Amino acid sequence: MVNEIESQCDREAMLHETSKKSLTNAQKRWRRAYFSIIGTTPTSSSSSYDAHNINPEATNHDDHSEGCLSIDKHMLADLVKTKDLGLLRKFNGVEGLAKALQTNLDDGINGEDTKRRIILFDSNSYKQASPKGFLYFLVEGFKDITKLFQLLVAAISLGFSIKEDGAKEGWYDHGGSIFVSVLVIALSAVSNFIQKRQLQYHLSEIDVVREGRRQKISIFEVVVGDVVVLAIGDRIPADGLFIDGHDHSLLVDESSMMMTTGTSDRFVEIDAIRNPFLIAGSKVADGYARMLVISVWMNTARGKMMSSKTGDSDEQTPLQSRLNKLTTIIGKIACVVAFLDLLAISIRCLAGNTDDENGNRTDTIDIPFVTRAVLAIAEGLSLALTFTLAYSTKGVTGDVPVVVRNLFACETMGSTTVICTHKTGTLTMNLMKVTKFWVGLDDIEDVSSVDAKVLQLYHQGVGLNTTGSIYKSSVPGTESEYCGSPTEKALLSWADTSLGMDIEKEKRSCTVLQVKTFNSEKKRSRVLIRKKEDNTIHVHRKGAAEMVLAMCSNYYQKSGLIKPLNHEERTRIKNIIEGMAASSLRCIAFAHKQISEMEPKHNKDGKTPNEQGLTLLGVVGIKNPCRPGVKEAIETCRIAGVDVKMITSDNIFTAKAIATECGILEVGPHINGEEEVIEGKEFRNYTEEERMNRVDSIRVMARSSPSDKLLLVQCLKKKGHVVAVTGHRANDERALKEADVGISMGIQGTEVAKESSDIVILDDNFASIVKLLSWGRCVFDNIQKLIQFLLPPNLAAFVINFISDACGRGVPLTTVQMLWVNLVMVTFGALALAIQKPTKDLMLQKPPVLGITNVMWRNLLAQSLFQIVILLIIWFTGRSFFNVNESLNGMIIFNTFILCQLFNLFNSRKLEKMNVFEGVHKNMPFLGIVGLVMVLQVMIMVVFLNIVVADTQKLNMEQWGICIAFAALSLPIGWFVKLIPVPEAPFLSYI
């Protein structure tokens, strides 16, 4: 008996109307009978809840008192976690539980009731574990072997100094070494701490039904009792129960929740009888349904899992990875040199041989200086890189409406060579409107000329074969609201306003038996209905015009007559479709067929019989105008050396028209369709060699599937391109992950697409992607400027001190002076260059190359060599030439060294341009930083700390003039070396 009732219940469920409606009265009766009977049957699973915990009285009351919401939230959470059908039966199924939660399954909850539900059942948000603090990164810094060795060398150096000069003098000379070493570790900790704090969040949205109206809300606003509308690509926002859906089931991907569900199956079928449990965090793989929310975030397994994550990631950007390799090598060299130097001095000290033949000490070399000078490069680069990325990320989010989900994305975007973009909403405005209407071979201008029977079929084909909905307010004069995809909204609006469709009347007059939603592979949808007035069964098809046309054997005339579709008329309709497509219209065809109730569901080959022999109702053309400024944005990409490829599911004629309108294809008959425009099917059928030969020339791919998009991205990457891909559908997930930079859409993008991407464009505008490209190049440009600025002073100081010490003259630049150079010049200089904003020049160049370019090597080596030569000349000849003592001569060297860096700061503004002062008068922050450094140099180092710390003396005006004159030579030298051509191939490639 039970099996018979289950069978009958399933049969009735197949005849159930699913779009936005609750179960029919007949099905409700069957389900109550089903639950009543099997509720008395022993089950294998036992419930740990008593009747008073479940509060069955709440399920039988019709009042809306607060007592009806006294269900234990933990019990509701366990209901989904354990998938306990027995407990669900005690509530009389989903309908009984909805009643207990005071939810109307048709109209949802009252929007004003959300606060009370949050108090009773919590909000749909989770508490994230506290991120790692500064102390954690400070401790990690002391675990670095290189830094510990540096600190050890500094301590030994201090010991030698105190032994030789006493505690007071020794501390002044070398105490700063330990301070520098600790400060370097602290700065590194600050750098890592700031970087880990660069977290961005994006509030995803979901459709819910409240007060009978379908609306979008943030997933964090979902409450227990909400009726949520789920479509392909949606991330399930909370735990819930299946209410109804197309084909009475939903295919859900639970792979992200396998650890909590305990199942090994990735895809799970959800239905109202066998498995109605929907788990938060899972994603909809196929289908369309409604769910009842019964447990929100922190009470779900997904919420507990997310709250245990710290959000920290050890992922490094590509540029960071390269710079870290460089600085690691430099650090090891510094440690080896410092160790050998320390060993030599130790041997001399132990042997008592500390004086030369003139009685001068030979162990006065600043032992940690070699390490300090070289490691300063590493720490300076790391700190400067953090400044640049932090500022650029903030600049991007302030200038472009984006959410940066991965820090490396802005950096990688700068070197992008190809952008593969979809069309709808990104190149176009996504404001679709029906502008053409054909019935058979007639272009309809006046709808009144169309037979009422044909219009009635259109009402059914549009109103019932849809995942959208219409909300009509009871307030007079209020316009109707249309929900669904842009195409669905355009069709619903057209049928509602132009054809006089009453969607509620159509739903009442028919019973929806089966729905096949739009599929990106088949590019069409289907609805099977039973008309209540005569009990006849009809099938309606809607989809890509040429595909639906191929399924038709007849067509309707506007008079309502049906005529056979012969070859000549089929060709004429094809020409009509191509003509509309050439006018950049998306063509949607409608077809109809009345079928027998006894007709089998499938043929022997597995195909549905009603796939063929349809009668064509007609074709509509939907206009989706291009976004303003998109043509200019694509032209900017072309000038910048970035190829833009459009990938669309539209037919080849529509794709060509829109690509030409957007500027992806050039206007004129010279467009090479064989080379530049291709269909996805043709591309996938190529051999590997043919694809690799064609991939660069392709600009438009029409009638493409998600697998075609992925294949194109893979081929481009094999060719050496840096590829950025845009996407908004759930099936774009693989292409977004495969690309170097995945870009999803914030408005029309599904949750799956957003989670698979690196960047979310909040306004869905292609022009924003071009701005992002400009900021990415700005990141590269600023980092290259920083490297060009930071390397010369440290390389010069290392070589100068090494040569001077080798000649027995000691070191002209002490640790304290280098501390000033690296703290002030690195910090302020990096800040001055890091805050450079994107310029038009960046988009007039080819995509930048990752790493130190030949141009950079040329510029920084020239400046390093100049500083080495000029400072060694002053060191060896300055005392006699200027007639000063050694202390004052050292001050002249130090002052000249600082001023060289200030002038080189101007040189670093432009890597290749001769005029380094271009636009500097508009960059007040840069000028302010230069002025501040100059003031600090004069007021602190010369006046306040001249003898106490730096062992310096005051310079007169003449000596200041000499220092400025020597340092200013950096500018003409920087100008001259830019005349020297360099090869494009990296220098290291010749080794």
Side-chain angles (χ1 to χ4, degrees), residues 230 242 248-252 268-271 278 284 286-289:
L230 298 173
F242 180 90
H248 307 280
S249 65
L250 193 71
L251 191 63
V252 173
V268 178
E269 188 172 355
I270 307 296
D271 58 43
L278 290 158
V284 180
D286 193 18
Y288 178 85

Side-chain angles (χ1 to χ4, degrees), residues 65 67 87 314 324 326 402 409 438 449-450 462 496 628-629 795 898 974 976:
S65 64
L87 180 59
D314 295 328
N324 283 344
L326 173 64
V402 300
W438 287 75
S449 64
V450 182
V462 175
D496 182 39
L795 290 176
I898 290 290
F976 177 76

